[in-house]
Amino acid sequence: MVALALAALLAVAPMQDVPQTAPSAAAAEPVDLGEVEVTGRTLDDMIRSFVTEVAEPNRRRGIARWADRLCVGVVNLRAEPAQYIVDRVSTVAEDLGLRTGAPGCAPNVVVIASAEADNLAGQLVRERRRGLRMGGAGMDRGGAALRDFAASDQPVRWWQVSIPVDADTGARAIRLPGECKGSCDAMGNNPGDYAPTTSIFAASRLSNEIVDELLRTVVILDMEQVGGVSAQQLADYVAMITLAQIDPEADTSGYATILNLFQSPDAAGGLTDWDRAYLSGLYDAERTRRNLRAGRMEIADSIHRSHQALREAEAE
């Protein structure tokens, strides 16, 4: 079943009274701490730091997201938990405005459960390398990252492929190796046979008509390590790392996020408001800034608006 799924993808206590005691003389005496400076972080600063920490776009590319349809497949799990993951990831995707595939759709997200996750990842890299690294410029995080994927000891590991597209039409903006159209019998005679054509309606040094869209995702669950979390926690974790490009090495200990699941299993029962704001901000942003740093700041601004919307909804 794993082979079939990969082929389809690459071709987922009550309180008690506490006795009161009199404070000791030492505790009653004030202590001079001298001058103490208290510093805090603004929401904007925290958001921008979070985006910088967790977002992991492909080399020299903007941050990618799914464009429209998401189809999730789960293999090597019993029907009930597998369906729960599919339904939960799909629900989060629909909340972001994405369409989700009906039962039987060709998966572009495959979640594979395995008691031998290391062997599975290594086999996948050896036998399906072309599906993981398709050869187009900026479509993945590179060979070193793929080796890290194969060698990872994390409970959940993932690999994503994205593609640059025309922001207006959704047409692919790069040529894949070995791909051509037309006669393709005389290299150089008709360059249009060998590369997509993108129409530029308004040239700008600030804006870019090319954006990056996620194409496929492979997620491997190490069943020897994920047994201590709930079904909702695991499904929401999968949703987060599936719907956004998340750095596997990100340090998120300073934030209330489901990404801390395997370091602090009791910290979040599922996606937090912080996670929802991040995803909403990502999917609301236009992402057409030519400068990559400016593109991150655009997403950070969008996340800030999502935080404000969540706060207003809670206040009603």
Side-chain angles (χ1 to χ4, degrees):
M1 182 175 292
V2 174
L4 291 175
L6 289 175
L9 173 70
L10 302 177
V12 171
M15 296 181 62
Q16 299 177 351
D17 292 333
V18 179
Q20 301 296 313
T21 59
S24 66
E29 301 205 359
V31 177
D32 184 5
L33 297 179
E35 294 185 4
V36 178
E37 181 180 358
V38 179
T39 60
R41 300 177 65 189
T42 66
L43 179 59
D44 281 342
D45 180 52
M46 290 184 67
I47 291 173
R48 295 184 182 191
S49 296
F50 186 73
V51 173
T52 300
E53 181 67 37
V54 306
E56 182 72 0
N58 296 339
R59 294 178 299 177
R60 296 182 294 278
R61 299 303 313 170
I63 297 175
R65 69 187 183 201
W66 295 98
D68 186 16
R69 186 190 70 89
L70 193 75
C71 177
V72 184
V74 179
V75 295
N76 277 3
L77 275 182
R78 290 182 289 107
E80 185 176 348
Q83 191 62 52
Y84 182 86
I85 292 176
V86 171
D87 292 345
R88 182 58 183 158
V89 175
S90 298
T91 296
V92 176
E94 289 170 354
D95 289 344
L96 297 172
L98 297 173
R99 293 188 303 120
T100 55
C105 61
N108 48 16
V109 174
V110 168
V111 181
I112 311 169
S114 176
E116 299 180 351
D118 292 344
N119 292 337
L120 175 60
Q123 180 183 5
L124 185 60
V125 170
R126 290 191 303 273
E127 300 180 4
R128 301 282 180 174
R129 189 179 187 87
R130 179 54 63 90
L132 300 175
R133 300 205 67 198
M134 298 178 65
M139 292 184 67
D140 59 72
R141 295 191 294 114
L146 186 61
R147 290 190 292 272
D148 290 342
F149 167 79
S152 173
D153 59 358
Q154 298 299 313
V156 179
R157 71 186 84 186
W158 58 91
W159 183 261
Q160 292 172 311
V161 177
S162 65
I163 191 165
V165 302
D166 187 304
D168 291 324
T169 67
R172 194 162 54 199
I174 63 170
R175 168 184 174 268
L176 299 181
E179 179 183 67
C180 63
K181 59 183 179 179
S183 60
C184 300
D185 58 358
M187 176 67 79
N189 290 345
N190 185 7
D193 283 351
Y194 295 91
T197 301
T198 301
S199 299
I200 304 298
F201 297 101
S204 171
R205 293 184 178 182
L206 300 178
S207 299
N208 187 3
E209 293 190 27
I210 305 300
V211 297
D212 294 88
E213 308 293 359
L214 289 170
L215 186 64
R216 62 176 59 124
T217 298
V218 176
V219 179
I220 298 180
L221 308 179
D222 187 337
M223 299 308 293
E224 298 294 327
Q225 299 191 68
V226 302
V229 302
S230 71
Q232 180 176 344
Q233 287 176 310
L234 181 59
D236 280 14
Y237 187 95
V238 171
M240 187 72 178
I241 56 97
T242 293
L243 294 167
Q245 291 175 304
I246 303 295
D247 183 356
E249 303 299 326
D251 179 7
T252 58
S253 57
Y255 305 89
T257 170
I258 191 65
L259 297 174
N260 295 322
L261 176 61
F262 297 105
Q263 289 73 41
S264 304
D266 298 329
L271 289 174
T272 65
D273 286 348
W274 189 268
D275 297 324
R276 295 181 186 278
Y278 182 85
L279 292 176
S280 296
L282 171 63
Y283 281 83
D284 285 343
E286 293 184 4
R287 301 178 304 135
T288 54
R289 304 284 182 88
R290 184 176 296 275
N291 182 284
L292 298 182
R293 178 178 175 81
R296 285 177 181 253
M297 294 306 99
E298 180 199 8
I299 292 175
D301 291 342
S302 183
I303 293 170
H304 185 103
R305 292 192 295 271
S306 295
H307 268 286
Q308 290 181 320
L310 284 168
R311 287 178 174 178
E312 291 171 1
E314 290 176 353
E316 292 178 355

